Amino acid sequence: MSEERNTELEAVAELAKRRGFFFQSSGAYGGVSGFFTYGPQGAALKRNLEDAWRDRFVTREGHMEISAPDVMPEPVFEASGHLDGFDDMIIECPECGESHRADHLVEDNSDVEDAEAIPIEEVQELIADLGLVCPACGTELAGEPVEEFNLMFETSIGPGSSQPGYLRPETAQGIFVEFPRLKEYARGQLPFGVAQIGNAYRNEISPRRALVRVREFTQAELEHFIDPEEDEPPIERVADVELPLYSAREQDKDDGELQQLTVEEALDEAVITSPWVAYYLGLATGWYERIGVDMSRFRYRQHLSGERAHYAADCWDAEAELGGDWIEITGFAYRSDYDLSKHGEYSGDDFTIFKQYDEPQTVERATVDPDMSVLGPEFGGAAADVREALQALAERDPDAFDADTVEVDVDGDTYTVDTDVANFSVEEVTQAGEHITPHVVEPSFGVGRLVYTVLTHAYGEDEVAGETRSYLSVPTELAPTFACVAPLVSNDADLVERAEDVLDRLRSAGFEVDYDESGSIGRRYRRQDEVGTPFCVTVDHETLEQEEYDAATVTLRDRDSTEQARVPVGDLVAILSELRAGETTFAELLSDPNVHRVA
Amino acid sequence: MSEERNTELEAVAELAKRRGFFFQSSGAYGGVSGFFTYGPQGAALKRNLEDAWRDRFVTREGHMEISAPDVMPEPVFEASGHLDGFDDMIIECPECGESHRADHLVEDNSDVEDAEAIPIEEVQELIADLGLVCPACGTELAGEPVEEFNLMFETSIGPGSSQPGYLRPETAQGIFVEFPRLKEYARGQLPFGVAQIGNAYRNEISPRRALVRVREFTQAELEHFIDPEEDEPPIERVADVELPLYSAREQDKDDGELQQLTVEEALDEAVITSPWVAYYLGLATGWYERIGVDMSRFRYRQHLSGERAHYAADCWDAEAELGGDWIEITGFAYRSDYDLSKHGEYSGDDFTIFKQYDEPQTVERATVDPDMSVLGPEFGGAAADVREALQALAERDPDAFDADTVEVDVDGDTYTVDTDVANFSVEEVTQAGEHITPHVVEPSFGVGRLVYTVLTHAYGEDEVAGETRSYLSVPTELAPTFACVAPLVSNDADLVERAEDVLDRLRSAGFEVDYDESGSIGRRYRRQDEVGTPFCVTVDHETLEQEEYDAATVTLRDRDSTEQARVPVGDLVAILSELRAGETTFAELLSDPNVHRVA
């Protein structure tokens, strides 16, 4: 971690706490690691960020959005694999009792990079070989067992003979598990997408780095259900978008580099294999820019083959640089039919889509119709199983029935059946379509990490009028407060009255506006700069001098440049609307002949 | 429950499931009682309702909004009283093992109305006396123990020596516990309000009635912190609002009635005792109307004295009639300083506000300054405690020091001290202010219950063109979709192209618009009516006949009246904007000379 970046994170953490973006929860009781509360500024910023996500990935793409519960029953996680496989490696200090992530200990104290992918016994050996000690108390950890620790929070649902429940470790399961119903809302037609913004929970062994590794967090996930054989993304919409790609191939090299490729080039050169994943990388790139991610501190990193879930064909993470480290802010995964197949298998419900052929298709189907009056007496209780085995054989290997007898295995025993008795035949069947299990493309965004990234990348310090100023240059769309209205001084009733009138006007016009009259005007500007308020409107004595109300001018100050313009009150709503919609910039405004720059 | 109302609830439940408002979660695995998923329509309606709440109770009132975690550590609930007191009475069937709420069993099978307030032993006796049986299997329950069951979901935070955590049973605690920080954001000035919209969890023994009694739900809570001696609500803003009040006094009568009183009258006649509670009832009344609660099925019911928490001075519930039952949709409570005092006491942190006097006040303060060289040898280890006891005595009863000796008790022993040695004096001290613990006024809204109420009160059936039509007359502000655009038929490329163009125009203008071309136009209208879409825009052959694009007309259909008007495409955005803002009604539109009613 570079010192400068480190200082940046410390400044952001201090600002976040002091000005109400976020802070560790329950501080009065000493706090609990991994739980954060968003204060008034942070909650507003987070909400604006979620709205921007909804606009881009749900509304404009025509997808559905649902809201499912946080607590889900055990069978869901038996099927999803979380009950068995959602573990981290833990090692407990024999002296102080503190628990640590074994893989992180190894990574922090050696050149090993992806210790999570190493078998647990080897990690235990590495800890001994490296002579690692407890970071809390310094006790030797050699010989201590490394164990699997399931990261789901468990609870009990209902009284008495209660059933186990879990806080969902990802919002995605709330979508997958409702697929049988969701497909009805989509009228049984692929492709369709279902999104959810909601909380997820992971009982992290060592929460760390502010909002990066926490125990309760917000995800914005989109599950796009597609027919892998037919559906294609509208790639032309994003073909020319430039992607900063750090491919698995480059990561494996000693001198691996970031490649700047357009979506089209990345697909042509097979750097990205799935057009769906490429589509979403293209879509997301513009969105990261929109919400204020510094694209010079951003990259897409492909998962290494060992890092990928076995069912995932291609995975890329969007990563942002924070404090010198690359932090995953979004995962883009092609999850194949894994999730829906598992839930279909475990629940017995129908997780498929009936795919209608363009025209009904005639297919040959081999069937048997065994004479049970022969099979029954001959095989007794096994007769029904033998019939099933014969049908399976007919479908698998119809030629077998050319012989006089066929043999089938049932539970390890071999049964021989006369072909005559089997009544084998091949029928022509007309099928209108077939049942397919959709594949899933999943962009999964960590909302808290995005908030943290936006804050950190927006944070800046400069010098204004000989004093150091800290400011947040967050995009207008995300700013907790759009504008602040203030009288130049608070002890002049005329100024205050006029300022309150301007405030009412702006609120009536639908702007999110604050009012502030405490302290000197310079101090108020600093305060607004620190929470990222793009514009400040000040009513001063010159405002009162002008007789005609709408012609009276107020000063409008720009957060980023700290420049000020005098604009007529009557034009204020129109000017702010244009600034908010991005139809004009403050620099353009200053060059308007009707606007006077304030020296 | 009246039969008609019952049918209404069944129709709403069926519609909610079929069209994607809400349904029991994890249905593929048999479902879990008390957990519901909001489908695409319901999630949108719920979000719009939350936005309407935020607008009215946060933004327009100038309050803060925060977002705290769902999982909180145990000490919070030791202080809040939930760990010890947040229980329901449970009785388990000895035969089938099913658990039931004992108080509900009694209420359902006798004239007893508020069994929750009856001591647990008496409930057990009542069950025996009434000869109650298990509703599930019919087994006699006499003699079975009635026990307290804590309604909080418990979990463990962290690995190894983990600490207990609980899913918060109300969002309010996430606000109270952060008061020491929140008051800084309010710059230490009362009054200020802090709101939160978020999930809360209660492990209900018998979840029932769809969204009414569930285990995971969304609350919108506002905690308004006030100085009880100085702060007054702006009651003039709501003085004339009519409230349908069902006071405790009326409930106690045999022929108790609803009283229609204005806020001012209710305060003058002391039907409502707290002006703050009255203010919020006034504010909320208009809001319920705005979100579509049928005010003829609505009342404010005062808590009976036995029903109220001991610290709560006055409590009223807003209740809506659903299926013949009155359901609490909001609780309005004056919570005094209970919550902040408890957290201050348990955490040791500062949950007070420093209240500055208008002018510094000079007060007399009695102090002692005992000669420890005398007390030490005389009282040994107890000397320091004796000094403290002397100081306490000086403050409590300064006259005691007029005598030659004073006596103080320490741990049950009496110590006699010469007044000379105590060095008693009275000093004049100037104080700038004092520390006070703010009181709390809390309007607490159940979002799911509001959604359910709005849906039920909006549900209607009528006859259109000889067919029964079901529709949701939800307010435009809450409708999941604002308008639907459709070509008259889907197999005419010109119609489809023009319809898509109209769709783009409306989306660019910021409207939430659907597109639908499947099925007959009549069927599409029914579909939109059922999900409450206020307006449908249809492009037909007449649209194409007109040459000038903006002058070409489309039909605009009104959900509630099913009437249609022909309006020029060029005016569509303006007309829809006015309809959305409530600046015009569809009936007014039809009387516009430029608009033609479609026969």
Side-chain angles (χ1 to χ4, degrees):
Chain A
M1 200 186 285
S2 75
E3 201 164 311
E4 191 185 320
R5 298 297 197 201
N6 202 344
T7 310
E8 182 186 58
L9 287 191
E10 280 166 18
V12 168
E14 189 276 330
L15 177 70
K17 195 166 168 175
R18 180 167 48 82
R19 297 308 311 276
F21 283 94
F22 61 85
F23 49 84
Q24 195 179 46
S25 303
S26 302
Y29 293 97
V32 195
S33 290
F35 292 95
F36 283 83
T37 294
Y38 290 91
Q41 305 293 342
L45 177 66
K46 177 170 179 276
R47 204 164 54 240
N48 293 342
L49 194 148
E50 289 169 0
D51 284 346
W53 188 86
R54 177 176 294 117
D55 172 65
R56 175 63 279 189
F57 294 97
V58 187
T59 313
R60 290 215 225 169
E61 297 291 292
H63 295 319
M64 304 188 241
E65 182 180 349
I66 70 165
S67 180
D70 298 337
V71 178
M72 300 182 80
E74 186 160 72
V76 171
F77 301 109
E78 276 168 7
S80 71
H82 286 94
L83 203 59
D84 274 344
F86 196 58
D87 302 316
D88 272 351
M89 291 180 220
I90 194 173
I91 186 164
E92 197 178 319
C93 172
E95 192 61 33
C96 72
E98 188 98 348
S99 297
H100 308 282
R101 269 191 68 166
D103 51 334
H104 285 179
L105 283 185
V106 169
E107 285 170 13
D108 292 350
N109 295 285
S110 71
D111 292 337
V112 176
E113 269 182 14
D114 189 23
E116 207 177 356
I118 301 175
I120 198 161
E121 301 75 22
E122 289 180 30
V123 170
Q124 195 167 322
E125 280 168 31
L126 270 170
I127 286 173
D129 294 349
L130 292 164
L132 299 188
V133 299
C134 171
C137 73
T139 303
E140 282 254 3
L141 294 172
E144 292 305 313
V146 175
E147 286 172 346
E148 302 282 9
F149 175 71
N150 193 292
L151 295 185
M152 286 198 295
F153 283 102
E154 187 178 351
T155 189
S156 295
I157 304 172
S161 50
S162 63
Q163 59 172 308
Y166 297 87
L167 295 182
R168 61 185 180 188
E170 55 180 19
T171 59
Q173 294 305 324
I175 296 173
F176 294 141
V177 80
E178 304 303 351
F179 184 82
R181 180 142 288 132
L182 296 172
K183 73 179 178 191
E184 288 176 23
Y185 303 149
R187 295 182 214 148
Q189 298 294 315
L190 291 177
F192 68 92
V194 183
Q196 185 173 200
I197 302 176
N199 282 354
Y201 309 80
R202 296 181 188 175
N203 198 4
E204 295 287 351
I205 295 164
S206 317
R208 51 181 177 176
R209 288 194 212 150
L211 297 182
V212 173
R213 188 174 296 279
V214 292
R215 287 172 168 156
E216 176 172 341
F217 51 101
T218 304
Q219 290 187 310
E221 296 196 303
L222 171 66
E223 309 301 327
H224 202 155
F225 300 103
I226 61 163
D227 176 346
E229 287 183 4
E230 304 222 340
D231 294 330
E232 283 175 13
I235 204 81
E236 67 283 359
R237 289 195 212 156
V238 296
D240 297 333
V241 175
E242 292 248 352
L243 308 174
L245 299 174
Y246 192 37
S247 67
R249 202 168 42 201
E250 289 295 315
Q251 292 169 61
D252 281 338
K253 290 183 191 168
D254 284 341
D255 55 350
E257 283 185 347
L258 216 59
Q259 294 169 281
Q260 287 284 351
L261 297 175
T262 65
V263 169
E264 193 168 22
E265 288 164 352
L267 281 169
D268 286 348
E269 298 175 22
V271 174
I272 305 173
T273 50
S274 158
W276 283 99
V277 169
Y279 174 71
Y280 277 110
L281 297 192
L283 207 62
T285 303
W287 186 76
Y288 292 123
E289 279 189 75
R290 167 175 162 185
I291 63 164
V293 173
D294 178 347
M295 300 308 277
S296 70
R297 300 168 69 178
F298 175 89
R299 71 183 184 190
Y300 290 111
R301 189 182 68 78
Q302 190 173 29
H303 280 207
L304 300 169
S305 57
E307 200 177 345
R308 233 158 44 207
H310 63 91
Y311 53 82
D314 197 7
C315 285
W316 290 78
D317 286 345
E319 296 185 332
E321 182 273 313
L322 292 177
D325 290 320
W326 287 101
I327 304 296
E328 176 194 348
I329 53 176
T330 309
F332 299 84
Y334 189 96
R335 297 176 69 112
S336 76
D337 65 352
Y338 177 80
D339 307 280
L340 297 186
S341 294
K342 284 286 177 190
H343 282 300
E345 183 188 326
Y346 277 73
S347 72
D349 209 332
D350 183 7
F351 282 74
T352 66
I353 285 271
F354 185 72
K355 178 180 170 184
Q356 193 137 17
Y357 297 137
D358 291 340
E359 294 187 1
Q361 291 182 6
T362 304
V363 293
E364 294 197 333
R365 194 167 62 186
T367 58
V368 292
D369 182 16
D371 186 342
M372 294 306 281
S373 70
V374 178
L375 259 53
E378 200 169 341
F379 303 130
D385 288 343
V386 170
R387 180 174 57 185
E388 266 187 41
L390 286 170
Q391 176 60 41
L393 178 65
E395 287 169 22
R396 197 171 63 239
D397 180 17
D399 293 343
F401 291 83
D402 291 342
D404 291 339
T405 61
V406 290
E407 289 186 347
V408 291
D409 274 3
V410 171
D411 291 337
D413 292 323
T414 302
Y415 297 86
T416 305
V417 182
D418 281 354
T419 315
D420 290 350
V421 175
N423 273 329
F424 173 85
S425 66
V426 174
E427 292 169 357
E428 289 214 327
V429 186
T430 304
Q431 291 181 328
E434 63 184 315
H435 288 274
I436 64 162
T437 301
H439 281 210
V440 174
V441 189
E442 178 195 79
S444 168
F445 294 72
V447 174
R449 290 181 177 197
L450 283 166
V451 167
Y452 192 42
T453 300
V454 167
L455 279 179
T456 307
H457 287 190
Y459 182 80
E461 290 175 8
D462 58 9
E463 201 160 295
V464 173
E467 278 182 34
T468 302
R469 167 183 89 127
S470 58
Y471 61 90
L472 285 177
S473 59
V474 290
T476 301
E477 185 183 12
L478 258 61
T481 307
F482 174 67
C484 182
V485 174
L488 184 66
V489 292
S490 65
N491 56 3
D492 181 324
D494 290 341
L495 284 181
V496 169
E497 189 191 339
R498 193 65 78 89
E500 286 176 346
D501 179 84
V502 171
L503 177 76
D504 282 347
R505 280 186 176 218
L506 297 184
R507 285 201 172 146
S508 301
F511 293 106
E512 174 63 44
V513 190
D514 252 9
Y515 179 80
D516 187 359
E517 55 168 54
S518 97
S520 76
I521 191 72
R523 219 176 128 193
R524 281 178 268 168
Y525 286 155
R526 296 293 167 281
R527 229 167 16 222
Q528 297 300 330
D529 290 344
E530 267 196 340
V531 297
T533 307
F535 306 105
C536 286
V537 176
T538 302
V539 171
D540 58 16
H541 298 292
E542 201 176 323
T543 313
L544 301 180
E545 278 165 23
Q546 282 139 319
E547 281 196 14
E548 205 210 320
Y549 194 95
D550 276 359
T553 58
V554 292
T555 65
L556 179 63
R557 177 180 175 276
D558 175 50
R559 173 196 66 202
D560 294 341
S561 65
T562 75
E563 295 217 70
Q564 296 183 49
R566 284 207 81 86
V567 299
V569 170
D571 296 348
L572 201 52
V573 166
I575 289 173
L576 288 174
S577 296
E578 285 180 20
L579 286 168
R580 184 168 62 175
E583 288 161 8
T584 189
T585 64
F586 202 82
E588 281 164 10
L589 183 71
L590 285 176
S591 62
D592 183 320
N594 292 320
V595 165
H596 302 282
R597 182 194 299 254
V598 179
Chain B
M1 201 186 285
S2 75
E3 201 163 312
E4 191 185 317
R5 298 295 198 203
N6 202 345
T7 311
E8 182 186 60
L9 287 191
E10 280 166 18
V12 169
E14 189 276 331
L15 176 70
K17 196 166 169 175
R18 179 167 49 81
R19 297 308 311 278
F21 284 94
F22 61 85
F23 49 84
Q24 196 179 45
S25 303
S26 303
Y29 294 97
V32 195
S33 289
F35 293 96
F36 283 83
T37 294
Y38 290 91
Q41 305 292 341
L45 177 66
K46 177 170 179 274
R47 204 165 54 240
N48 293 342
L49 194 148
E50 289 169 0
D51 285 345
W53 188 85
R54 177 175 294 119
D55 173 64
R56 174 63 278 189
F57 295 97
V58 186
T59 312
R60 289 216 226 170
E61 297 290 294
H63 295 320
M64 303 188 241
E65 183 180 349
I66 69 165
S67 180
D70 298 337
V71 178
M72 300 182 81
E74 186 159 74
V76 172
F77 301 110
E78 277 168 5
S80 72
H82 286 93
L83 202 59
D84 274 344
F86 196 58
D87 302 315
D88 272 350
M89 292 181 219
I90 193 172
I91 186 164
E92 195 177 322
C93 173
E95 191 62 32
C96 71
E98 187 98 352
S99 297
H100 308 283
R101 269 191 69 166
D103 51 333
H104 285 179
L105 282 186
V106 168
E107 286 169 13
D108 293 349
N109 295 285
S110 72
D111 292 337
V112 175
E113 269 181 13
D114 189 23
E116 207 176 356
I118 301 176
I120 198 160
E121 302 77 22
E122 289 179 31
V123 170
Q124 194 167 323
E125 280 168 30
L126 270 170
I127 286 173
D129 294 349
L130 292 163
L132 300 188
V133 298
C134 172
C137 73
T139 302
E140 282 253 5
L141 294 173
E144 292 304 314
V146 174
E147 286 171 347
E148 301 282 9
F149 175 72
N150 193 292
L151 296 186
M152 286 199 294
F153 284 101
E154 188 178 350
T155 190
S156 295
I157 304 172
S161 51
S162 63
Q163 59 172 310
Y166 297 87
L167 295 182
R168 59 184 181 189
E170 55 179 19
T171 58
Q173 294 305 324
I175 296 173
F176 294 141
V177 82
E178 303 304 351
F179 183 82
R181 181 142 288 134
L182 296 171
K183 74 179 177 190
E184 287 176 24
Y185 302 149
R187 294 182 215 149
Q189 297 295 314
L190 290 178
F192 69 91
V194 183
Q196 184 172 202
I197 302 176
N199 281 353
Y201 309 79
R202 296 180 187 176
N203 198 3
E204 295 287 350
I205 295 164
S206 318
R208 53 181 177 177
R209 290 196 209 145
L211 297 184
V212 173
R213 190 176 294 280
V214 292
R215 286 171 168 156
E216 178 172 339
F217 51 101
T218 304
Q219 289 188 312
E221 296 197 303
L222 172 65
E223 310 302 328
H224 201 154
F225 300 103
I226 61 163
D227 176 346
E229 288 183 5
E230 303 223 340
D231 294 330
E232 283 175 14
I235 205 79
E236 67 284 358
R237 289 194 211 156
V238 296
D240 297 332
V241 176
E242 291 249 352
L243 309 174
L245 299 174
Y246 192 36
S247 67
R249 201 168 44 200
E250 289 295 315
Q251 292 169 60
D252 281 338
K253 290 183 191 165
D254 284 341
D255 56 350
E257 283 184 346
L258 216 60
Q259 294 170 281
Q260 287 284 352
L261 297 175
T262 65
V263 168
E264 194 168 19
E265 289 164 351
L267 281 170
D268 285 348
E269 299 175 22
V271 175
I272 305 174
T273 50
S274 159
W276 283 99
V277 169
Y279 173 70
Y280 278 111
L281 297 192
L283 207 63
T285 303
W287 186 76
Y288 293 124
E289 279 191 77
R290 167 176 162 183
I291 63 165
V293 172
D294 179 347
M295 299 308 277
S296 70
R297 300 168 70 178
F298 176 88
R299 70 183 185 189
Y300 290 110
R301 190 181 69 77
Q302 189 173 28
H303 280 207
L304 299 169
S305 57
E307 201 178 342
R308 234 162 39 210
H310 63 89
Y311 52 83
D314 197 6
C315 285
W316 291 77
D317 286 345
E319 296 185 331
E321 183 274 312
L322 292 177
D325 291 320
W326 286 101
I327 304 296
E328 176 194 348
I329 53 177
T330 309
F332 298 84
Y334 190 94
R335 298 177 68 114
S336 75
D337 65 353
Y338 177 80
D339 307 280
L340 296 186
S341 293
K342 284 286 175 190
H343 282 300
E345 183 189 326
Y346 278 72
S347 71
D349 209 333
D350 183 8
F351 283 74
T352 66
I353 285 271
F354 184 72
K355 178 181 168 183
Q356 193 136 15
Y357 297 136
D358 291 339
E359 294 186 0
Q361 292 183 6
T362 305
V363 293
E364 293 196 333
R365 197 168 60 186
T367 56
V368 292
D369 183 18
D371 186 341
M372 294 309 279
S373 69
V374 178
L375 259 55
E378 199 168 343
F379 304 130
D385 288 342
V386 170
R387 179 174 54 186
E388 266 185 42
L390 286 170
Q391 176 60 39
L393 177 64
E395 289 169 21
R396 197 170 63 240
D397 179 18
D399 294 342
F401 290 82
D402 291 342
D404 289 341
T405 61
V406 289
E407 289 187 346
V408 292
D409 274 3
V410 172
D411 292 336
D413 294 321
T414 303
Y415 297 85
T416 305
V417 182
D418 281 353
T419 315
D420 289 350
V421 175
N423 272 330
F424 173 84
S425 66
V426 175
E427 292 170 357
E428 291 215 328
V429 185
T430 303
Q431 291 183 325
E434 62 185 316
H435 288 273
I436 64 163
T437 303
H439 281 209
V440 174
V441 189
E442 177 196 78
S444 167
F445 294 72
V447 175
R449 290 181 176 196
L450 283 166
V451 166
Y452 192 42
T453 301
V454 167
L455 279 179
T456 306
H457 287 189
Y459 183 80
E461 290 176 8
D462 59 9
E463 203 160 293
V464 173
E467 278 182 34
T468 301
R469 167 182 91 125
S470 57
Y471 61 90
L472 285 178
S473 59
V474 290
T476 301
E477 185 183 12
L478 259 61
T481 306
F482 174 68
C484 182
V485 174
L488 184 66
V489 293
S490 65
N491 56 5
D492 182 323
D494 291 340
L495 285 180
V496 169
E497 189 192 336
R498 192 66 76 92
E500 286 176 347
D501 179 83
V502 171
L503 177 76
D504 282 348
R505 280 184 177 222
L506 297 184
R507 285 202 173 147
S508 301
F511 293 107
E512 173 64 43
V513 190
D514 252 10
Y515 180 80
D516 188 0
E517 55 167 55
S518 98
S520 75
I521 191 73
R523 221 178 126 193
R524 281 178 269 168
Y525 286 155
R526 296 293 166 282
R527 234 173 4 227
Q528 296 300 329
D529 289 344
E530 267 196 339
V531 297
T533 307
F535 306 106
C536 286
V537 176
T538 303
V539 172
D540 58 15
H541 298 291
E542 203 175 321
T543 312
L544 302 181
E545 278 165 22
Q546 282 139 318
E547 281 195 14
E548 206 211 320
Y549 194 95
D550 276 358
T553 59
V554 291
T555 65
L556 179 63
R557 177 180 176 275
D558 174 51
R559 175 196 65 202
D560 295 340
S561 64
T562 76
E563 295 215 73
Q564 296 183 46
R566 284 207 80 86
V567 300
V569 170
D571 297 347
L572 201 52
V573 166
I575 289 173
L576 288 174
S577 295
E578 285 180 20
L579 286 168
R580 183 168 62 174
E583 288 161 9
T584 189
T585 64
F586 202 81
E588 281 165 9
L589 183 70
L590 285 175
S591 63
D592 184 319
N594 293 320
V595 165
H596 303 282
R597 183 194 300 255
V598 179

